[in-house]
């Protein structure tokens, strides 16, 4: 196998040299949440073997905002240290000035992807990123435990809290002192902004900064949403959640010590791997709705691929991007690791649907996912989110009461907004 791969690579290199093209070494920065890093490496290696080039996969911090800080440092210095960046759905407006327009290289392939994501990735008339995978917040639960305690899958936060408490108490009494009702992402980082965006939207508490540029966070429903989440901490949720990101919360759930988990679709594949302690025992559903008049809300997430304008090999880097976002690679990633494709056609693919029935069943959850205010606040999105996650964290930890936290946040955001307001 190795020998065949080497022979293919050699043939490709010879072929490149015959056309007078020099093989290059590209550097791509990929995430490492779940199977991300492993898959990015395998897929990049496959392209390298096919084309005779080399790819180095560079590891970046898992927390989205830490990754952004690193990228901004590298791009801000005009460095060509990284050719291809994996960028978050909330970053196109922040990073556009450092990224090339991919349109001249895609042969129109972006038309095959979800138009809303392509629109999100288009800044001015530049297509600064190609969609790679999309996601939205989901509620994972232990089917076996809900059945054992005769509890139905909860459709409101109150029902979730009651179910979590009942099962947590029962399982602890039955000999698992480590059991918790509900785990999620409560660390002061971008992931908490995603969780808290869901709480606010589910209670009808708005989107922090609305699409018309108005700061809306200081309202009674937002207060209720944050108070509800704070009431979970220490009762159905371990206090340690205040330092949990995606993988910490998945770890607790996958080792069998939580009834409910809020996380992204990638958890599905990992929870069902043969070595998972909860294989076959997991269900997934939309997140619960808030109080009276509330609705289920999922934050829209997802990742794209961009080429740095400081790259010395932009055309060849764009070729690797085209390969990675292609239907064949997205199909493989969906089957192996439950990354939701950004190509609508793959939602009709029998293999993808068999591996991930939830992708079709929860279609409306994905379609109605709530955006963070990244388009309207563009270059200031990270500051907006930073203020929001700190305010939410202060309420969760008991440092600040919710009414005070949203009043302070409202002032800070209005101060940050440009004189003519966002938009
Ligand atoms: C997931 C989402 C991304 C979000 C991040 C927060 O990776 O895809 O959009 O910013 O989680 O932790």
């Amino acid at each position: 196998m190795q020998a065949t791969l080497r022979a293919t690579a050699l043939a490709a290199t010879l072929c490149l040299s015959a056309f007078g093209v020099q093989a290059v070494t590209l550097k791509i920065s990929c995430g490492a949440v779940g199977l991300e890093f492993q898959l990015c490496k395998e897929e990049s290696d496959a392209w390298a073997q096919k084309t005779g080039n080399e790819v180095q996969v560079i590891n970046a911090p898992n927390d989205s905002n830490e990754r952004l800080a690193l990228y901004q440092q590298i791009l801000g210095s005009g460095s060509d240290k990284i050719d291809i960046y994996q960028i978050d759905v909330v970053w196109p407006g922040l990073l556009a000035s450092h990224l090339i327009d991919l349109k001249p290289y895609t042969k129109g392939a972006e038309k095959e992807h979800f138009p809303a994501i392509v629109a999100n990735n288009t800044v001015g008339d530049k297509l600064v990123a190609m969609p790679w995978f999309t996601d939205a917040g989901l509620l994972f639960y232990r089917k076996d435990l809900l059945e054992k305690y005769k509890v139905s899958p909860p459709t409101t936060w109150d029902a979730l809290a009651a179910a979590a408490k009942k099962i947590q108490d029962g399982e602890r009494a039955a000999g698992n002192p480590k059991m918790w009702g509900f785990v999620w992402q409560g660390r002061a980082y971008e992931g908490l902004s995603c969780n808290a965006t869901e709480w606010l939207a589910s209670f009808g508490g708005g989107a922090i900064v609305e699409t018309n540029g108005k700061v809306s966070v200081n309202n009674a429903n937002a207060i209720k949403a944050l108070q509800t989440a704070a009431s979970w901490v220490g009762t159905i949720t371990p206090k340690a959640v205040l330092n949990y990101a995606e993988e910490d919360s998945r770890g607790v759930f996958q080792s069998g010590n939580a009834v409910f988990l809020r996380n992204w679709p990638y958890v599905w594949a990992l929870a069902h791997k043969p070595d998972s302690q909860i294989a076959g025992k997991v269900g997934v559903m939309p997140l619960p709705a808030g109080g009276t008049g509330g609705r289920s809300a999922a934050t829209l997430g997802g990742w794209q691929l961009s080429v740095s304008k400081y790259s010395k090999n932009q055309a060849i880097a764009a070729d690797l991007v085209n390969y990675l976002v292609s239907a064949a690679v997205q199909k493989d990633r969906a089957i192996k690791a439950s990354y939701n494709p950004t190509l609508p056609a793959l939602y009709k693919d029998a293999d993808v649907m068999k591996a991930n029935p939830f992708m079709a069943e929860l279609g409306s959850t994905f379609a109605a996912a709530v955006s963070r205010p990244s388009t309207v606040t563009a270059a200031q999105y990270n500051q907006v989110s930073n203020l929001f996650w700190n305010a939410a964290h202060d309420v969760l930890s008991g440092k600040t009461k919710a009414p005070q936290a949203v009043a302070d946040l409202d002032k800070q955001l209005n101060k940050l907004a440009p004189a003519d307001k966002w938009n």
Side-chain angles (χ1 to χ4, degrees):
M1 174 71 182
Q2 278 299 321
T4 323
L5 291 179
R6 269 198 302 275
T8 319
L10 181 65
T13 313
L14 291 175
C15 183
L16 278 177
S17 344
F19 287 101
V21 183
Q22 276 300 314
V24 302
T25 301
L26 290 180
K27 280 152 282 161
I28 179 169
S29 171
C30 284
V33 176
L35 297 171
E36 268 183 308
F37 191 81
Q38 184 194 322
L39 286 181
C40 178
K41 174 109 190 61
E42 285 170 17
E43 294 148 1
S44 301
D45 284 349
W47 174 86
Q49 247 124 34
K50 215 160 65 106
T51 61
N53 295 293
E54 206 189 305
V55 185
Q56 284 171 12
V57 183
I58 316 239
N59 207 343
N62 270 354
D63 285 6
S64 166
N65 46 289
E66 281 181 29
R67 211 187 293 182
L68 176 64
L70 176 73
Y71 286 4
Q72 283 181 314
Q73 206 185 331
I74 299 173
L75 290 166
S77 70
S79 162
D80 69 344
K81 208 158 137 188
I82 295 174
D83 300 283
I84 299 167
Y85 288 83
Q86 179 183 332
I87 78 162
D88 199 339
V89 69
V90 284
W91 299 349
L94 283 167
L95 298 181
S97 62
H98 301 289
L99 306 173
I100 69 162
D101 180 11
L102 289 167
K103 264 189 277 148
Y105 304 102
T106 58
K107 298 202 184 93
E110 64 276 14
K111 294 191 185 74
E112 315 279 308
H113 295 255
F114 287 120
I117 309 180
V118 175
N120 178 78
N121 297 357
T122 305
V123 179
D125 56 1
K126 265 171 57 176
L127 178 63
V128 299
M130 278 295 275
W132 201 18
F133 63 97
T134 180
D135 50 29
L138 301 173
L139 184 69
F140 295 88
Y141 62 94
R142 285 283 302 276
K143 259 189 332 200
D144 58 325
L145 292 179
L146 266 63
E147 271 159 29
K148 177 171 166 192
Y149 290 85
K150 302 195 173 20
V151 168
S152 346
T155 55
T156 64
W157 290 116
D158 283 351
L160 177 136
K165 183 81 173 71
K166 180 173 178 185
I167 300 173
Q168 173 184 300
D169 290 351
E171 289 299 289
R172 285 185 186 183
N176 180 6
K178 288 191 187 152
M179 183 57 98
W180 282 100
F182 183 32
V183 288
W184 34 278
Q185 298 82 46
R187 179 184 297 172
Y189 82 123
E190 184 64 25
L192 175 54
S193 287
C194 294
N195 283 245
T197 293
E198 285 158 357
W199 306 332
L200 261 62
S202 75
F203 276 90
I208 307 111
V209 180
E210 302 304 316
T211 46
N212 64 6
K214 194 177 168 333
V215 176
S216 65
V217 75
N218 190 2
N219 70 75
N221 290 338
I223 292 170
K224 180 85 182 91
L226 291 172
Q227 284 169 335
T228 302
S231 75
W232 303 330
V233 180
T235 55
I236 54 168
T237 294
K239 287 210 171 87
V241 85
L242 295 174
N243 199 27
Y244 281 3
E246 280 78 7
E247 288 293 79
D248 308 289
S249 52
R250 179 175 69 85
V252 174
F253 185 67
Q254 205 165 317
S255 55
N257 293 325
V259 185
F260 296 103
L261 164 72
R262 181 270 175 215
N263 213 320
W264 309 98
Y266 82 96
V267 168
W268 179 260
L270 291 167
H272 287 92
K273 293 257 176 266
D275 63 348
S276 161
Q277 294 191 34
I278 51 171
K281 299 178 178 165
V282 180
V284 59
M285 62 181 288
L287 287 160
T292 335
R295 63 171 177 117
S296 163
T299 297
L300 177 72
W303 292 84
Q304 348 291 317
L305 291 173
S306 296
V307 173
S308 160
K309 81 171 187 204
Y310 314 109
S311 164
K312 296 204 173 67
N313 299 296
Q314 295 177 7
I316 192 102
D319 188 64
L320 174 54
V321 168
N322 288 339
Y323 172 79
L324 291 173
V325 305
S326 67
V329 174
Q330 287 208 11
K331 174 170 173 169
D332 193 55
R333 292 171 61 84
I335 292 170
K336 287 190 181 140
S338 300
Y339 290 117
N340 281 50
T342 58
L343 295 155
L346 286 178
Y347 291 78
K348 297 197 183 83
D349 182 289
D351 303 327
V352 171
M353 290 304 116
K354 183 160 175 262
N356 303 288
F358 73 91
M359 286 185 188
E361 287 158 16
L362 303 183
S364 53
T365 300
F366 292 107
V370 180
S371 295
R372 286 162 273 172
S374 57
T375 303
V376 64
T377 62
Q380 284 163 308
Y381 172 70
N382 195 42
Q383 286 162 279
V384 170
S385 185
N386 194 311
L387 290 168
F388 179 47
W389 78 59
N390 279 330
H393 199 266
D394 285 349
V395 175
L396 296 172
S397 68
K399 191 171 156 209
T400 314
K401 296 262 177 266
Q404 186 66 49
V406 298
D408 293 347
L409 179 60
D410 176 83
K411 280 203 202 88
Q412 291 164 332
L413 290 174
N414 276 304
K415 214 154 120 197
L416 184 67
D420 53 353
K421 296 284 167 232
W422 279 300
N423 216 345

